[in-house]
């Protein structure tokens, strides 16, 4: 076969995205200019939040959220083990300790049960934040997690790096991830594999004006301009970072955001095509479960494979897929097992994260794919498993 290789994910950059960047390069401000505010306003409007603060990447967004909350050394943050490293690392950036929550091995999501179990491991330490992840684009049970966090005296911060455009219905009508109905802040990433891309880029949304102000301050060195001083005066009451997103990338973000509905529709159509194409590979291959309240914009096409029953290990399947032109990726190696965290905390028993890790594999999914590409990837998986 001579068809192009299908990576597990990739950006969709079109001529008008390129034109938007070129225009931004000709403007007066390459950074800290008016396009930043325009991107933030459009993003806030799109997800239904009062405030959006653009920043350098999704990791910076998480770090800024911890700084804005004032999380202190020795305090505790709960994060799921099945996520990208950054969800947990942001707690360590501010000196806090991580308690890893388990996940439901069918969906990969933190649940009220797994959060409840993690809460018991916090002990008498001060819990400040709970950081659920909308893995693959599927929404966690926000009202239930928010209630548990509130009862424990902690704040909910959503890691929505996978979930731009996802909506939910918990029985009170449609809600959008990032609208802040259940959480203090929500973070997003615009890494090329995510739903919209700026190369590097991130956003934090919130409905709390004080948090928005603190996010902006920490994004730019911790600098403030008190009203009492002369025009040139600035002060740094707390130390911050340079986590700004330049106007060049905000212009790309604006252009990409305008296409979100089309990208979302494409992802939904391709995920549905996978559903049909993979039906013949059951029960060896099963799509990750989607909770009933979730209306995802699918970010990852993660399937759960019974490698033992197939008589092949994951590396062999990944290699066989690659040989047939299909990329794949493991989302994720449990973060609590990473050497840094294992050295610091030991390795907790998280059977859900282990079961998910033993079976998960993400297949190619991005809007530029066709239904024929889906058939090719699904067919390659069948062959790779000897079906
Ligand atoms: C991509 C990702 C991040 C980090 O985003 P970057 O923009 O790459 O820094 C954080 N959390 C999750 C779940 C992610 O997938």
């Amino acid at each position: 076969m001579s068809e192009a290789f299908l990576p597990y994910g990739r950006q969709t950059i079109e001529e008008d995205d390129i034109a938007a960047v070129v225009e931004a390069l000709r403007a007066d401000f390459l950074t800290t200019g008016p396009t930043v505010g325009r991107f933030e306003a459009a993003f806030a409007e799109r997800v239904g939040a009062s405030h959006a603060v653009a920043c350098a990447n999704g990791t910076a967004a998480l770090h800024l959220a911890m700084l804005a909350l004032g999380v202190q050394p020795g305090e505790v943050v709960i994060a799921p083990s099945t996520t990208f490293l950054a969800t947990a690392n942001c707690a360590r950036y501010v000196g806090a300790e991580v308690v890893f929550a388990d996940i439901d091995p069918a969906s990969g999501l933190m649940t009220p049960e797994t959060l409840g179990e993690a809460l018991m491991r916090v002990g008498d330490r001060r819990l400040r934040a709970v950081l659920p992840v909308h893995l693959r684009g599927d929404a966690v049970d926000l009202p239930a997690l928010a209630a548990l966090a509130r009862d424990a005296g902690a704040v909910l911060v959503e890691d929505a790096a996978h979930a731009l455009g996802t909506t939910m219905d918990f029985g009170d009508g449609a809600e959008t991830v990032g609208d802040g109905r259940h959480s203090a802040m929500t973070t997003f990433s615009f890494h090329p594999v995510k739903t919209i891309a700026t190369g590097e880029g991130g956003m934090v949304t919130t409905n709390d004006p004080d948090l928005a102000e603190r996010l902006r301050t920490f994004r730019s060195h911790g600098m403030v301009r008190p009203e009492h001083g002369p025009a040139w005066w600035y002060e740094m009451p707390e130390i911050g970072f340079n986590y700004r997103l330049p106007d060049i990338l905000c212009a790309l973000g604006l252009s990409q955001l305008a296409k979100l509905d089309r990208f979302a529709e494409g992802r939904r159509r391709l995920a549905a095509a996978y559903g049909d194409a993979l039906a013949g590979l059951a029960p060896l291959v099963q799509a990750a479960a989607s909770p009933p309240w979730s209306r995802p914009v699918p970010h990852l096409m993660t399937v759960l494979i019974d490698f033992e029953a197939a008589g092949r290990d994951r590396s062999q399947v990944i290699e066989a897929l690659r040989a047939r032109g299909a990329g794949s990726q493991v989302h994720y190696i449990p973060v609590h097992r990473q050497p840094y965290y294992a050295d610091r905390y030991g390795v907790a028993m998280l059977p859900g994260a282990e079961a998910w890790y033993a079976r998960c594999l993400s297949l190619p999914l991005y809007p530029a794919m066709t239904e024929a590409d889906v058939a090719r990837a699904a067919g390659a998986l069948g062959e790779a498993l000897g079906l």
Side-chain angles (χ1 to χ4, degrees):
M1 276 200 215
S2 63
E3 287 129 316
F5 187 79
L6 304 167
Y8 84 87
R10 65 158 290 152
Q11 71 276 14
T12 304
I13 298 292
E14 298 165 329
E15 285 307 317
D16 56 343
D17 296 307
I18 294 167
V21 172
V22 169
E23 194 188 322
L25 285 168
R26 295 205 170 95
D28 289 335
F29 293 92
L30 296 185
T31 190
T32 65
T35 314
V36 181
R38 283 178 53 218
F39 183 34
E40 291 176 337
F43 195 94
E45 157 115 45
R46 179 62 181 75
V47 303
S50 313
H51 308 275
V53 178
C55 59
N57 51 63
T59 306
L62 288 160
H63 187 187
L64 287 172
M66 296 297 103
L67 291 164
L69 288 177
V71 178
Q72 296 296 313
E75 296 181 336
V76 172
V77 171
I78 293 180
S81 181
T82 301
T83 184
F84 183 59
L85 305 169
T87 316
N89 289 354
C90 70
R92 296 294 307 133
Y93 295 162
V94 294
E97 304 301 336
V98 183
V99 167
F100 288 99
D102 205 0
I103 50 92
D104 164 29
S107 66
L109 301 174
M110 184 194 282
T111 65
E113 292 72 32
T114 64
L115 175 56
E117 189 274 328
L119 286 168
M120 296 201 293
R121 281 185 280 120
V122 174
D124 51 16
R125 294 175 289 175
R126 177 142 191 246
L127 177 70
R128 286 302 305 283
V130 176
L131 260 171
V133 176
H134 300 296
L135 197 78
R136 307 172 289 99
D138 261 323
V140 297
D141 187 351
L142 279 175
L145 298 184
L148 282 168
R150 198 184 319 115
D151 290 350
V155 167
L156 201 68
V157 177
E158 301 166 61
D159 182 343
H162 295 187
L164 177 55
T166 288
T167 60
M168 313 159 275
D169 190 340
F170 297 101
D172 285 327
E175 309 177 25
T176 303
V177 168
D179 70 6
R181 223 188 268 191
H182 306 281
S183 71
M185 287 174 277
T186 307
T187 69
F188 296 88
S189 162
F190 312 130
H191 180 278
V193 299
K194 308 290 165 67
T195 300
I196 69 169
T198 63
E200 298 284 353
M203 193 75 79
V204 187
T205 60
T206 181
N207 293 328
D208 181 333
D210 296 331
L211 285 176
E213 184 67 30
R214 285 176 65 77
L215 290 164
R216 290 182 203 287
T217 301
F218 283 113
R219 171 179 67 179
S220 203
H221 308 283
M223 272 169 68
V224 295
R225 296 179 187 280
E227 269 162 35
H228 58 78
W232 48 266
W233 185 255
Y234 55 85
E235 286 174 11
M236 191 188 81
E238 291 181 89
I239 194 161
F241 295 81
N242 179 350
Y243 276 168
R244 295 185 298 257
L245 190 65
D247 286 59
I248 306 165
L249 297 184
C250 288
L252 180 54
L254 267 170
S255 176
Q256 288 267 296
L257 188 65
K259 304 170 182 202
L260 175 57
D261 289 336
R262 176 156 57 88
F263 290 169
E265 157 61 22
R267 287 178 173 276
R268 288 188 171 123
R269 186 169 39 76
L270 294 165
Y274 263 117
D276 296 339
L278 294 171
L281 307 184
L284 275 194
V285 178
Q286 258 155 351
S290 185
W293 54 79
S294 179
R295 312 271 182 280
V297 172
H299 164 58
L300 297 171
M301 188 59 222
T302 308
V303 294
L304 301 172
I305 301 173
D306 189 343
F307 292 103
E308 216 166 289
R312 286 163 169 74
D313 69 27
R314 181 160 44 203
S315 299
Q316 290 172 318
V317 172
I318 289 171
E319 268 318 303
L321 281 170
R322 188 191 307 282
R324 289 166 175 77
S328 58
Q329 186 57 270
V330 177
H331 296 100
Y332 290 96
I333 302 167
V335 180
H336 78 286
R337 285 226 249 141
Q338 291 295 341
Y340 172 84
Y341 287 111
D343 287 351
R344 191 170 186 86
Y345 303 127
V347 178
M349 283 279 291
L350 300 177
E354 299 293 353
W356 172 272
Y357 170 60
R359 292 192 170 200
C360 68
L361 194 65
S362 301
L363 303 174
L365 182 68
Y366 50 93
M369 283 174 64
T370 62
E371 266 99 344
D373 292 329
V374 169
R376 180 153 67 97
L381 181 61
E383 286 171 26
L385 292 168
L387 293 171

